[in-house]
């Protein structure tokens, strides 16, 4: 299991709430930490219970609400974790990566795993008709979006809708965030979807598991499945017209480089792709 760092960041995103500091050697639940008494936070938006959020079992008003079917496919909501079975204590799931210094759900809608999907769309970096090299290895580029919420560069990706196939989520989110599909007419969007479906036919799964997301809490966390779509010859994905949309304020081809700071643990996902393609 990845050890989380960003999920222990001092301030919870979008708030002035401080997490209780969790030293590296006290992250694991198996290590005693008697002084552990973190604050609890769930954003008011989630407490208003939009369609994508679970009820709040911890309040008296909801004492008689049946808890979700944890560790199972709960109707059309996937509550199983890619990391295996997670612990549930008094109807509240426990983060499989350990302590985060915050209870509640924060900005996340679901107790337990919140499932997302990401795309790593890559091409080689060409300079003067040749693939650029660094330390003797070919350099790749990937489609990055700049997140509107925190300004950090990230992979295009988003939440899996209930009942949605992950392959569909990946394509939909790429179209929304990197091609601004939400601003297209119905006809245009349909054409784009067809184009993307042909181009995105041969994806390779490069990661499936926990995401070290700054929004994670002790009781709610992000998980993802990420696919790589690679354009070997720079004539399909490599020349798509990119336009930022939805929760992305910018989109660009960035070099795959470990110096490039990215959101959550997205650098690790790129490292997997670089390794797979024997790239820098
Ligand atoms: C990350 O948050 C995932 O890897 C994915 O990129 C993203 C999904 O959340 P939103 O982009 O919908 O906020 O944990
Ligand atoms: Mg999105
Ligand atoms: Mg997104």
């Amino acid at each position: 299991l990845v050890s989380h760092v960003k999920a222990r960041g001092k301030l919870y995103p979008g708030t002035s709430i401080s997490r209780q500091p969790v030293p590296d050697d006290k992250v694991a639940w198996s290590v005693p930490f008697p002084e552990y008494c973190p604050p609890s936070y769930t954003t008011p938006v989630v407490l208003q219970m939009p369609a994508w959020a679970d009820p709040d079992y911890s309040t008296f008003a909801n004492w008689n609400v049946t808890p979700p079917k944890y560790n199972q496919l709960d109707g059309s909501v996937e509550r199983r974790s890619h990391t295996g079975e997670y612990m549930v204590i008094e109807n509240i799931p426990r983060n499989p990566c350990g302590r985060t210094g915050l209870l509640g759900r924060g900005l996340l809608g679901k107790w337990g795993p919140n499932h997302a999907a990401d795309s790593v769309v890559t091409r080689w970096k060409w300079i003067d008709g040749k693939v650029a090299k660094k330390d003797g290895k070919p350099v790749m580029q990937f489609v990055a979006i700049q997140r509107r919420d925190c300004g950090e560069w990230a992979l295009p990706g988003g939440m899996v809708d209930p009942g949605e196939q992950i392959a569909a989520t990946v394509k939909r989110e790429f179209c929304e965030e990197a091609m601004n599909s939400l601003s297209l007419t119905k006809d245009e969007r349909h054409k784009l979807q067809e184009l993307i479906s042909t181009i995105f036919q041969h994806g390779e799964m490069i990661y499936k598991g926990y995401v070290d997301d700054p929004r994670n809490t002790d009781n709610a966390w992000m998980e993802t499945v990420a696919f790589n779509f690679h354009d070997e010859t720079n004539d399909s994905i490599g020349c798509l017209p990119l336009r930022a949309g939805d929760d992305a304020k910018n989109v660009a081809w960035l070099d795959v480089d470990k110096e490039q700071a990215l959101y959550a643990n997205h650098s690790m996902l790129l490292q997997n792709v670089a390794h797979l393609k024997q790239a820098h």
Side-chain angles (χ1 to χ4, degrees):
L1 220 58
V2 294
S3 68
H4 55 203
V5 174
K6 298 198 178 170
R8 290 186 278 145
K10 189 163 173 34
L11 282 185
Y12 190 80
T15 73
S16 51
I17 295 163
S18 298
R19 294 178 189 263
Q20 178 174 355
V22 180
D24 290 347
D25 61 350
K26 298 252 167 49
V27 173
W29 294 108
S30 55
V31 178
F33 189 3
E35 317 83 78
Y36 191 58
C37 183
S40 176
Y41 175 69
T42 302
T43 175
V45 180
V46 164
L47 292 176
Q48 280 160 18
M49 261 181 70
W52 47 271
D54 290 334
D56 187 16
Y57 308 96
S58 49
T59 70
F60 182 70
N62 288 320
W63 66 274
N64 58 350
V65 180
T66 325
K69 296 196 176 77
Y70 293 122
N71 287 302
Q72 291 175 53
L73 181 62
D74 183 7
S76 57
V77 180
E78 183 56 87
R79 298 198 190 265
R80 286 170 293 190
S81 166
H82 297 305
T83 66
E85 195 155 319
Y86 51 88
M87 279 200 26
V88 178
I89 296 158
E90 288 174 17
N91 287 329
I92 306 288
R94 185 180 250 196
N95 189 316
C97 267
R99 299 179 177 103
T100 67
L102 191 73
L103 304 176
R105 281 171 293 166
L107 291 161
L108 302 178
K110 305 256 180 332
W111 295 100
N114 287 253
H115 288 284
D118 289 294
S119 55
V120 189
V121 170
T122 54
R123 68 180 184 193
W124 296 113
K125 179 181 190 175
W126 293 83
I127 295 174
D128 301 330
K130 272 193 295 199
V131 175
K133 290 204 165 172
K134 204 167 172 186
D135 302 329
K137 286 188 171 166
V139 178
M140 282 180 125
Q141 294 183 314
F142 71 104
V143 175
I145 56 112
Q146 193 180 17
R147 293 180 64 95
R148 214 179 272 285
D149 58 357
C150 58
E152 287 183 71
W153 287 92
L155 294 170
M159 311 303 295
V160 182
D161 290 336
E164 189 179 39
Q165 294 288 316
I166 287 184
T169 311
V170 171
K171 284 184 263 188
R172 178 177 54 72
E173 289 286 341
F174 185 85
C175 288
E176 290 174 5
E177 298 182 358
M179 301 194 75
N180 200 12
S181 64
L182 295 176
S183 73
L184 302 177
T185 64
K186 224 175 147 195
D187 265 12
E188 289 170 329
R189 199 178 315 165
H190 194 77
K191 275 201 197 112
L192 175 64
Q193 268 156 5
E194 276 181 2
L195 172 74
I196 292 293
S197 290
T198 39
I199 290 185
F200 277 35
Q201 248 165 32
H202 305 289
E204 215 166 330
M205 201 213 288
I206 49 109
Y207 183 76
K208 192 185 193 172
Y210 185 87
V211 183
D212 183 11
D213 192 290
R215 294 169 292 186
N216 293 352
T217 69
D218 280 6
N219 313 121
W221 60 91
M222 294 294 304
E223 297 198 9
T224 196
V225 182
F227 293 89
N228 175 223
F229 303 95
H230 179 66
D231 182 357
E232 191 60 33
T233 45
N234 225 340
D235 56 6
S236 60
I237 304 174
C239 29
L240 286 174
L242 301 179
R243 217 147 52 91
D246 200 31
D247 39 6
K249 63 173 178 183
N250 231 320
V251 62
W253 284 97
L254 297 185
D255 291 359
V256 174
D257 193 306
K258 69 172 187 295
E259 304 303 325
Q260 173 68 53
L262 291 175
Y263 184 70
N265 58 353
H266 289 179
S267 298
M268 187 189 87
L269 275 52
L270 280 168
Q271 206 176 349
N272 289 355
V273 176
H275 185 77
L276 186 78
K277 300 283 179 212
Q278 299 186 306
H280 171 74

